[in-house]
Amino acid sequence: MSHDLRFALRRLSRTPGFTAAAVLCLGLGIGANTAIFTVINAVLLRPLPYDEPERLVGVWEANRIRGSERNVISPANYLDWTAGSTVFGGMAAVHDISASLTGGGEPEEVPVQRATASLFQVLGLRPALGRTLSVEDDMPGGAEVAVLSHGLWERRYDADPGIVGKPIHLDGSTVTVVGVMPPETESIGREPRPDIWIPMRLDPAEDYRETSGRILQAVARLGPGVTIARAQAEMATMAARLAAEHPNYNTHWSVNLVPLSEQTIGQVRRPLELLGGVVLLVLLIACGNVANLQLAQATARRREIAVHAALGASRLDLGRRLLAESVLVAAAGGALGVLLAWWCTDALATLASTSVPRMNEVSVDAGALAFTLVISLAAGIGFGLVPALHASRGDLHGDLKDGGRGYSSRGGRTRGILVGAQVASSLVLLVGAGLLLKSFARLNDVNLGFNPDKVLTARVTLGGERYEDEARQVGFFEELLDRVENLPGVRAVGAINWLPLSGLRSATRMTIEGEPPTRPGEEPAADVRAVDPGFFAALEIPVIRGRTIEPGDRAGVPRSVVVNQSFVARYLVGRDPLGRRIHMEWGDTLVGTVVGVVGDIKHTGVDSAASPTVYWALPQFPHNFMTLVIRTADDPTRLANGVVAQVRALDADQPVSDLKSYDEWLGGAVARRRFSLLLLGGFAALALALTSIGLYGITAYGVVQRVREFGIRLALGASQRDVLWEVLRQAMVVVGAGIAAGLLGAVALSRLVSSLLFEVSPTDPAVFVTIAVLLLAVGTIAGLIPARRATRVDPMVAIRSE
């Protein structure tokens, strides 16, 4: 073997063009596979960073009437579950909020998580400094304490090792730091990760069914030997009992247990698995190219191989020598692939940081390097077997006699099959990319129901005792809106509590006067928003009937509400909505009269259906957090500093967050689809390039092999057109067969990408025809160049050379 490797090194060094082309093809294929494997390993295969993560389940409420499978849970139900369940080793709940952090620098709004003390024990999280929340902390009247994330500790407190026991100022209140978590600590709940954990302090004596809706997210650890099925059965029984005990609150509500791994990565599993298959196809195309190069080399070297055989080399010796060359090429390609993967991994982490969970854990580690080694060896053996087998089956007498001259058809059929397979694979990938591209174009053309162009957003959250009074909250926002409206370049300004496309929303049940009574649990439900009078104009949401919220809709006067078209279509179809009174259960029951109907907007996602929505006037439905929407005359980001200055003028300790253009929100809403499109499109383009090179190579090699034949034909009177068509016809046969096979494969692939499509059929004929024509054109061009070269053969030179 060592002799074979030395011989292979000498041989490869004498053919630098072949070696460079083969290494580059393999480097691209192996690099793409290593990069995607690194992502798949970190996101899908690596266990979640908790103790025994396979025993963790997300606990959700489910309502079949509302079509909700993963609804946040009621504090009251959570307390009943923890008291009565026997299948869990522990259960915890969190509630995500935002808070103002002051002192030690600029005021900053940070993500905060109210958590039960059991959270850290259930997840198996241990502090880097100090301790986590205790049971005593979590009791009503407990000490005001907080646990910091490692990132916040480093960023704001310079990694002070003495931070434990020191006070910090959160929403104007003083809390004591009791611990710091390790880097990259994961919790449950929404993104972004919390920077601070504080006690939730649920009071078992309080009836939360009268004072709170469903606002918590929960996680539980299965008891030893308990399966999810058994736990689900017990929780369903408990939910049925609670529904019987509290029919007005729990009818039609059950419990849904979801493995935490599925809850975390379920939405990206299919796209990543699809990309894994895509890069494998790219590698196979690259291997096909190298196999064709090897076949061509073996054919050109048939006299050399025959001489070795005549001198006593066995078929096994000849095949092993060619395999040694293949493995060396694959090893070099693997080394190049690692370098490409290192760069690609960083690019992928940046591209998918907001759309794919756990991307912070992606790195080219020992596992990725081992994967590269295995796939390089497999590729080297795979593409080396075909030329090795062909070379070992040579005609010894004929090869020695011909001396390698003239045309030989040996290996031609195999090369044609390999290129045809490349064409088919490329068509499959290009169809997938075409479907995603058309889907993305449809997504970008969706009518959002509002105009996001030249709009700046800024969220302000008022916290602490200073803003506990609702009148003070309303006064702050009204004065802030007046100040911002007078800034140069502002065309309109408004505010809403939950911003469209932010991923956040609130909803509750209600009743409509004059409508037939409903059974418990089947009352109308709608999204609920608080807005100021300028909101609809600032986002250019059309008014369909009546009016919108006006300055006169203030505290102390009868409440006015505006509903959207979906609300009317769902609950008041064929009836006049204006003047109808709505009773909404939100703490105390609120009653509002419908004064207008506005158009639907996309709130939860660009590809989502509009939900029935009720808009309340901010003074009549006060909130301590609002997001400003500021329509500008030019670039909205130029107003950012001015908006911050106006907030600080009202309250120097008040932070501003989500200060960005609406285009950024829109980009985030389609980030996951864009990620899939860019990767699949990029790999499809790479596959097309490799296929084009392969087709050109096999056609050009065939022309070189048939120079004498073409010279004789031209000498006997054949026209250049005849020669051109002969070469091009053979290339088109290969391309046509590949396209036919690829269309069948594309139909199968289209079913896999159907869940990623938006308003596009998985078998869209326009995409299929366009891609087939594109490949036919590329194949024609790739075959035409060497075909034209064949027509320029000088008959006398070609014959004389023989």
Side-chain angles (χ1 to χ4, degrees), residues 97-112 148-158 168-172 192-196 459-463 644 647-648 651-658:
I97 61 173
S98 297
S100 174
L101 183 62
T102 56
E106 289 290 314
E108 178 183 0
E109 183 176 297
V110 294
V112 175
L148 307 184
S149 72
H150 199 275
L152 180 66
W153 175 57
E154 287 186 325
R155 182 180 77 248
R156 190 155 184 114
Y157 302 105
D158 299 321
I168 61 173
H169 301 284
L170 197 64
D171 273 347
R193 296 176 182 169
D195 273 331
I196 298 177
R459 191 176 80 245
V460 178
T461 302
L462 306 175
V644 173
V647 174
R648 298 286 167 77
D651 186 341
D653 290 332
Q654 182 60 54
V656 182
S657 61
D658 287 339

Side-chain angles (χ1 to χ4, degrees), residues 55-57 59 81-91 220-236 238 255 257:
R55 291 174 55 194
L56 294 173
V57 292
V59 186
W81 297 341
T82 55
S85 65
T86 63
V87 291
F88 297 136
M91 186 184 296
R221 179 174 293 276
L222 296 173
V226 176
T227 64
I228 291 184
R230 177 186 163 191
Q232 180 69 64
E234 179 178 291
M235 295 301 292
M238 191 177 299
V255 180
L257 302 183

Side-chain angles (χ1 to χ4, degrees), residues 462-482:
L462 306 175
E465 295 181 0
R466 180 178 178 184
Y467 295 107
E468 286 183 354
D469 180 65
E470 293 182 346
R472 186 182 290 272
Q473 297 171 10
V474 173
F476 179 96
F477 288 119
E478 289 182 337
E479 185 171 354
L480 176 59
L481 289 166
D482 288 340

Side-chain angles (χ1 to χ4, degrees), residues 319-376:
R320 192 178 64 220
R321 182 163 293 175
L322 288 173
L323 271 179
E325 292 183 22
S326 301
V327 170
L328 283 177
V329 170
L336 176 60
V338 170
L339 296 177
L340 293 174
W342 234 300
W343 175 80
C344 288
T345 299
D346 291 339
L348 287 174
T350 301
L351 179 65
S353 59
T354 60
S355 58
V356 179
R358 308 187 70 190
M359 286 301 290
N360 60 293
E361 302 176 35
V362 173
S363 63
V364 180
D365 54 14
L369 296 177
F371 172 83
T372 304
L373 176 62
V374 171
I375 203 170
S376 298

Side-chain angles (χ1 to χ4, degrees), residues 275-491:
L275 288 173
V278 165
V279 293
L280 184 59
L281 270 181
V282 171
L283 179 61
L284 291 176
I285 292 172
C287 287
N289 263 3
V290 180
N292 263 330
L293 288 172
Q294 288 276 62
L295 273 172
Q297 287 276 308
T299 303
R301 295 165 56 189
R302 65 184 185 276
R303 187 181 185 191
E304 171 197 329
I305 294 172
V307 170
H308 280 285
L311 294 175
S314 67
R315 291 187 175 185
L316 180 62
D317 293 331
L318 296 173
R320 192 178 64 220
R321 182 163 293 175
L322 288 173
L323 271 179
E325 292 183 22
S326 301
V327 170
L328 283 177
V329 170
L336 176 60
V338 170
L339 296 177
L340 293 174
W342 234 300
W343 175 80
C344 288
T345 299
D346 291 339
L348 287 174
T350 301
L351 179 65
S353 59
T354 60
S355 58
V356 179
R358 308 187 70 190
M359 286 301 290
N360 60 293
E361 302 176 35
V362 173
S363 63
V364 180
D365 54 14
L369 296 177
F371 172 83
T372 304
L373 176 62
V374 171
I375 203 170
S376 298
L377 289 175
I381 295 172
F383 71 72
L385 278 176
V386 175
L389 290 174
H390 272 267
S392 65
R393 294 172 182 169
D395 179 1
L396 176 62
H397 177 73
D399 289 343
L400 287 173
K401 179 180 179 182
D402 289 345
R405 299 175 302 164
Y407 171 65
S408 172
S409 63
R410 185 184 308 151
R413 179 177 299 177
T414 303
R415 290 195 295 272
I417 292 173
L418 287 173
V419 173
Q422 289 177 310
V423 172
S425 300
S426 295
L427 186 141
V428 170
L429 298 185
L430 287 168
V431 165
L435 291 172
L436 288 182
L437 179 61
K438 188 170 184 178
S439 176
F440 195 73
R442 292 280 178 86
L443 205 63
N444 285 332
D445 290 338
V446 166
N447 180 12
L448 299 174
F450 62 92
N451 181 7
D453 295 336
K454 296 182 180 179
V455 173
L456 179 72
T457 68
R459 191 176 80 245
V460 178
T461 302
L462 306 175
E465 295 181 0
R466 180 178 178 184
Y467 295 107
E468 286 183 354
D469 180 65
E470 293 182 346
R472 186 182 290 272
Q473 297 171 10
V474 173
F476 179 96
F477 288 119
E478 289 182 337
E479 185 171 354
L480 176 59
L481 289 166
D482 288 340
R483 285 171 172 265
V484 172
E485 189 174 19
N486 291 321
L487 290 175
V490 173
R491 294 175 53 191

